[in-house]
Amino acid sequence: MAASPAAALAPAGLELRFAILDIYAAYAACLDEQRYNEWPDFFVDDCIYRVQPRENFDRGLPLATLAFESKGMLRDRVYAITQTLFHAPYYQRHIISGIALQAQRADGYDVTASYLVLRTKQNEPTEVFNTGRYVDVLEWQDGELKFRSKLAIFDSELIANSLIYPI
Amino acid sequence: MAASPAAALAPAGLELRFAILDIYAAYAACLDEQRYNEWPDFFVDDCIYRVQPRENFDRGLPLATLAFESKGMLRDRVYAITQTLFHAPYYQRHIISGIALQAQRADGYDVTASYLVLRTKQNEPTEVFNTGRYVDVLEWQDGELKFRSKLAIFDSELIANSLIYPI
Amino acid sequence: MAASPAAALAPAGLELRFAILDIYAAYAACLDEQRYNEWPDFFVDDCIYRVQPRENFDRGLPLATLAFESKGMLRDRVYAITQTLFHAPYYQRHIISGIALQAQRADGYDVTASYLVLRTKQNEPTEVFNTGRYVDVLEWQDGELKFRSKLAIFDSELIANSLIYPI
């Protein structure tokens, strides 16, 4: 049975689906629990991370609110938000749904999802902060799924200047 | 192994579960990315689609905000929202959770889920637009899951007159 | 095949994952459909249920908005909210995502998830009510998953005094 390609692929397929669900859950928990130092480890070294308004993405315009092109740049961002940026702290809460395996490449997977990030400032009620779509590429690295590319394409342009923590 | 009914059913069961998750993800993406022309294709020909306030649904009252009874009527609605209705455009973002296979019928599946739709108007912040519960019947058609019936039972009556796009 | 431990474990693992997804969906549906009498049955007899602000949880402080330590206390709460508490009724809508199996114990499972609860009061629009993280322990009882412990750790302290129904 184990030697049958079809039988071997089927469970792998379902386990892959859960592995994909799991990385999104872990990614969200990392950010929401403010373990920012662990955030870059969800990415491969030569990664892409962009947070971009939907209008620009749909028109192919390059302008992005955040744009990083390596794990080192992600680490710089973590240093900035934890050590140097002056800002009122807030909690984030990621709600991610519709995680869909769009295509399987030779070296990875195209995955999309919808996200909602809620924000809670100190002594204020929780509010809708940002919604949009993740357009991601994942790949295996040493037995773990990592993001090669992660785009957070958001629906409203009105969040740009107050975005401190990663989406 | 493949001839054993129990063994054959078990993986089918898990694959079915992912197939159900996938149709909800694809349905949400279709609407959120404004590919309205593709929306009727998520349904069988003699489908039911209704958007109805919870109070009416719970009391068995027929009044619904939207009520369509065939794929043709869904296509008419698409024509209306893309060609004839005068309205300020807005983005939708569906967050769907708790997708549950409630029962298996001879010819399909009863599935429920909770949904949240966020709305983003141009130059405005994203806001909660509509929440409720999907009460759906799915069936296989030519190897694809389709909605035979889809009810969006919403929690607040205050959205009715501003609802343009499908939920 | 059925005698092979590895082969037997693999599907069990995936079925377990769906069983976990299913209890969260059923739990949310029970509350959102106001079947409060069924709510205690999601727990074992000597259960823990707490709703606690994040600040207190993170600092190890015991103060909680709600704290129950047995199924009997949950039943008392149900009696209170359905029979004795004076309050304006509202609908809840739970959106739960990122359901993650964190660890497997000898007698159960550590599971975490993110939740968003929306509230709809009569003749008012739906609003964000409460967000946070479930930190739960589940175990099997007579073939059904039950909560041995369920903590709802919420992000904003501003909901406390208006919280009537379970989260």
Side-chain angles (χ1 to χ4, degrees):
Chain A
M1 181 78 186
S4 152
L9 276 175
L14 295 173
E15 278 159 23
L16 169 66
R17 294 300 304 268
F18 271 113
I20 291 171
L21 295 182
D22 286 343
I23 186 179
Y24 281 89
Y27 179 91
C30 168
L31 292 178
D32 294 351
E33 295 169 20
Q34 303 184 306
R35 294 182 270 109
Y36 298 120
N37 286 326
E38 300 175 22
W39 174 63
D41 292 331
F42 285 92
F43 295 83
V44 300
D45 284 345
D46 57 334
C47 61
I48 290 172
Y49 175 79
R50 277 214 302 268
V51 180
Q52 190 174 28
R54 179 172 178 160
E55 298 278 354
N56 292 6
F57 179 79
D58 288 347
R59 293 176 189 174
L61 301 176
L63 195 66
T65 306
L66 295 177
F68 305 130
E69 287 175 16
S70 71
K71 201 177 202 169
M73 288 180 73
L74 300 186
R75 290 206 184 97
D76 286 351
R77 179 67 182 179
V78 170
Y79 183 81
I81 61 179
T82 56
Q83 308 291 336
T84 67
L85 279 181
F86 179 80
H87 65 276
Y90 57 87
Y91 289 134
Q92 288 194 132
R93 178 67 46 199
H94 284 70
I95 304 288
I96 301 173
S97 79
I99 299 169
L101 174 55
Q102 298 290 355
Q104 188 147 351
R105 306 168 168 217
D107 58 350
Y109 313 97
D110 290 342
V111 177
T112 58
S114 285
Y115 72 82
L116 160 63
V117 180
L118 299 125
R119 177 174 66 175
T120 306
K121 294 181 181 172
Q122 208 166 10
N123 297 317
E124 293 190 21
T126 299
E127 60 186 358
V128 170
F129 180 51
N130 189 239
T131 60
R133 181 163 53 115
Y134 287 128
V135 179
D136 300 340
V137 180
L138 289 122
E139 64 181 47
W140 292 103
Q141 188 186 69
D142 301 330
E144 287 187 280
L145 275 181
K146 305 270 184 183
F147 292 107
R148 166 161 296 284
S149 170
K150 185 169 194 63
L151 312 184
I153 310 299
F154 57 91
D155 294 332
S156 172
E157 303 201 13
L158 292 195
I159 62 112
N161 59 356
S162 59
L163 195 151
I164 303 290
Y165 305 118
I167 294 292
Chain B
M1 182 77 185
S4 152
L9 276 175
L14 295 173
E15 277 160 23
L16 169 66
R17 295 298 305 268
F18 271 113
I20 291 171
L21 295 182
D22 285 344
I23 187 179
Y24 281 89
Y27 179 92
C30 168
L31 292 178
D32 294 351
E33 294 169 22
Q34 305 184 307
R35 293 182 270 109
Y36 299 119
N37 286 325
E38 300 175 23
W39 174 62
D41 292 331
F42 285 92
F43 295 83
V44 300
D45 284 345
D46 56 335
C47 60
I48 290 172
Y49 175 79
R50 276 214 302 267
V51 180
Q52 190 174 29
R54 178 172 179 161
E55 298 277 352
N56 292 6
F57 179 79
D58 288 347
R59 294 175 189 176
L61 301 175
L63 195 65
T65 305
L66 296 177
F68 304 131
E69 288 175 15
S70 71
K71 201 177 202 169
M73 288 180 73
L74 299 186
R75 290 206 184 96
D76 286 351
R77 178 69 181 179
V78 169
Y79 183 79
I81 60 179
T82 56
Q83 307 292 336
T84 68
L85 280 180
F86 180 80
H87 64 275
Y90 57 87
Y91 289 134
Q92 288 194 133
R93 178 66 47 197
H94 284 70
I95 304 288
I96 301 174
S97 78
I99 299 168
L101 175 55
Q102 298 290 355
Q104 189 147 350
R105 307 166 168 219
D107 59 349
Y109 312 97
D110 289 340
V111 176
T112 58
S114 287
Y115 71 82
L116 161 64
V117 179
L118 299 126
R119 178 173 66 175
T120 305
K121 293 180 179 171
Q122 207 167 11
N123 297 316
E124 292 190 21
T126 298
E127 61 186 358
V128 170
F129 179 51
N130 188 239
T131 60
R133 181 164 54 114
Y134 286 128
V135 179
D136 300 340
V137 180
L138 289 123
E139 63 181 47
W140 291 103
Q141 189 185 70
D142 301 331
E144 288 188 279
L145 274 181
K146 305 271 183 183
F147 292 107
R148 167 161 297 282
S149 170
K150 185 169 195 64
L151 312 183
I153 310 299
F154 57 91
D155 295 331
S156 172
E157 302 201 14
L158 291 195
I159 61 110
N161 60 356
S162 61
L163 195 151
I164 304 291
Y165 306 118
I167 294 292
Chain C
M1 181 78 188
S4 151
L9 275 175
L14 294 174
E15 278 160 23
L16 170 66
R17 294 300 303 269
F18 271 112
I20 292 171
L21 295 182
D22 285 344
I23 187 178
Y24 281 89
Y27 179 92
C30 168
L31 292 178
D32 294 351
E33 294 169 21
Q34 304 184 307
R35 294 182 269 110
Y36 299 120
N37 286 325
E38 301 175 22
W39 175 61
D41 292 331
F42 285 92
F43 295 83
V44 300
D45 284 345
D46 57 334
C47 61
I48 290 172
Y49 175 79
R50 275 213 303 268
V51 180
Q52 190 174 29
R54 179 172 178 159
E55 298 278 354
N56 292 5
F57 179 79
D58 288 347
R59 293 175 189 173
L61 299 176
L63 195 65
T65 304
L66 295 176
F68 305 130
E69 288 175 16
S70 72
K71 201 177 201 167
M73 289 180 72
L74 300 186
R75 290 205 184 96
D76 287 350
R77 179 68 182 177
V78 170
Y79 183 79
I81 60 178
T82 56
Q83 307 293 336
T84 68
L85 280 181
F86 180 80
H87 65 275
Y90 57 87
Y91 289 133
Q92 288 195 132
R93 179 66 47 198
H94 283 70
I95 304 288
I96 301 174
S97 78
I99 298 169
L101 174 56
Q102 298 290 355
Q104 189 147 350
R105 305 168 169 217
D107 58 350
Y109 312 98
D110 291 340
V111 176
T112 58
S114 287
Y115 71 83
L116 161 63
V117 180
L118 298 125
R119 178 172 66 174
T120 305
K121 294 181 180 171
Q122 208 165 10
N123 297 316
E124 292 190 21
T126 298
E127 60 187 357
V128 170
F129 179 51
N130 188 239
T131 60
R133 181 164 53 114
Y134 287 128
V135 179
D136 299 340
V137 180
L138 289 123
E139 64 181 46
W140 291 102
Q141 189 186 69
D142 301 330
E144 287 188 281
L145 274 181
K146 305 271 184 183
F147 292 106
R148 166 160 297 283
S149 169
K150 185 169 194 64
L151 312 183
I153 310 299
F154 57 90
D155 294 332
S156 170
E157 302 201 14
L158 292 195
I159 62 113
N161 60 355
S162 61
L163 195 151
I164 303 290
Y165 306 118
I167 294 292

